[in-house]
């Protein structure tokens, strides 16, 4: 009896200590200086810093939640197409492997819209079209077309309200996606129509995201007048998408066929990432986000994925993040999808 009471006491004290420390963390706004200092005390492999003002919080949550809540937990048929006895380099960067493909190092800005699912996917598709052509085809696959025209991708076509990346890859195979690149990029049939905006501190050149109030653009099945292109004729197509969940399979897929798209659970410390290898220090979930993996490496003994975010170049490491590899941290490895372009 006494022993039991003792045990309970121990557990209860532990629980209240946890509750207390959680309460302390919750006391500070996720974007505040105090919280950033807390993260920097806790994080062993990365540094947090001020990327956003506290007033940006609603915009940040919208940007960090472009993948529908149930998307990561859907049942999938994972495959393991590669022979894992093949040699895999310790570091790899698609930008260096295929330097003539201009889409690979392109960092996107999703604007005030939860379209990361469309952009990360269209970016990986564009990279793969170029890679498959032996770096000759500089064709951008249109994130705009995907965001506004794929009805099944987002439960009714509200792409800015978040989507299902796997449906986007399937749509590439079944319906095709026209060409088109960055906002006013003149990169094909339909460029992205939402302007880059000011998500970050200390910038003066872009409009404030919060002022834009963008809604999902209407689907237009015509090319922009400037492009002079025919919608049907400018479609690109993909092959059957594959789902991967193992580190080595993902590495070999990137090595052979180019960048892949993935999704993960976003914790509220993620927006403050500035450098190093990210591993969450918080369990406060704020959404699901999609990104493009283009390589990997090891930093100070910690294995990471090299990943492109879609929050412009003034976030993280010039728009990129190093993200802990090999532990399926927050589903980053079990949410990988990719397809080959149709030749
Ligand atoms: C790819 O392009 C390079 C030149 O950039 C050429 O030397 C090589 O033969 C090409 N490979 C294939 C398979 O066409
Ligand atoms: C933003 O500007 C302030 C004042 O000019 C400066 O102290 C601060 O370091 C800048 N922050 C960043 C992230 O550049
Ligand atoms: C989409 O079309 C409807 C009906 O024509 C219009 O009311 C709405 O403003 C349009 N939305 C956008 C974002 O252009
Ligand atoms: C676009 O191309 C398709 C297929 O070649 C053709 O049927 C259609 O008439 C063209 N549309 C326009 C507006 O020229
Ligand atoms: C790696 O470790 C060294 C020595 O502890 C440290 O000085 C350096 O800042 C670390 N590098 C990164 C990128 O964290």
């Amino acid at each position: 009896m006494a022993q039991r009471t003792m045990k309970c006491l121990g557990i209860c004290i532990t629980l209240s200590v946890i509750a207390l420390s959680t309460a302390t963390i919750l006391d500070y706004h996720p974007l505040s200086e105090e919280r950033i200092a807390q993260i920097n005390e806790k994080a062993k492999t990365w540094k947090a810093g001020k990327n956003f003002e506290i007033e940006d919080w609603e915009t940040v949550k919208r940007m960090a939640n472009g993948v529908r809540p149930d998307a990561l937990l859907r049942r999938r048929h994972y495959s393991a197409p590669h022979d894992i006895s093949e040699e895999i380099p310790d570091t790899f960067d698609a930008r260096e492997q295929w330097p003539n493909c201009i889409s690979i190092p392109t960092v996107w800005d999703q604007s005030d819209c939860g379209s990361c699912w469309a952009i990360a996917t269209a970016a990986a598709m564009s990279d793969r079209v170029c890679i498959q052509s032996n770096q000759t085809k500089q064709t951008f696959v249109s994130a705009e077309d995907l965001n506004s025209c794929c009805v099944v991708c987002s439960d009714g076509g509200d792409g800015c309200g978040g989507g299902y990346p796997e449906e986007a890859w399937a749509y590439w195979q079944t319906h095709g996606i026209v060409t088109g690149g960055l906002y006013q990029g003149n990169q094909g049939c339909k460029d992205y129509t939402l302007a880059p905006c000011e998500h970050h501190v200390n910038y003066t050149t872009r409009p404030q995201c919060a002022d834009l109030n963008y809604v999902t653009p209407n689907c237009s099945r015509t090319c922009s007048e400037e492009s002079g292109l025919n919608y049907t004729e400018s479609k690109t197509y993909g092959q059957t998408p594959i789902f991967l969940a193992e580190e080595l399979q993902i590495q070999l897929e990137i090595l052979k066929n180019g960048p892949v798209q993935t999704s993960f659970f976003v914790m509220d410390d993620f927006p403050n990432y500035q450098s190093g290898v990210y591993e969450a220090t918080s369990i406060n979930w704020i959404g699901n986000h999609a990104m493009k993996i283009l390589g990997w490496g090891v930093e100070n003994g910690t294995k990471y994925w090299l990943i492109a975010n879609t929050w412009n170049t003034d976030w993280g490491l010039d728009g990129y993040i190093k993200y802990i590899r090999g532990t399926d941290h927050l589903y980053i490895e079990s949410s990988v999808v990719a397809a080959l372009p149709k030749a």
Side-chain angles (χ1 to χ4, degrees), residues 74-87:
R74 286 185 167 191
R75 279 182 85 83
R76 288 182 176 145
H77 294 286
Y78 291 112
S79 65
H82 303 294
D83 173 2
I84 57 166
S85 66
E86 286 182 59
E87 201 173 323

Side-chain angles (χ1 to χ4, degrees), residues 116-127:
C116 60
W117 65 273
I119 294 181
T121 305
M125 289 169 177
S126 308
D127 297 350

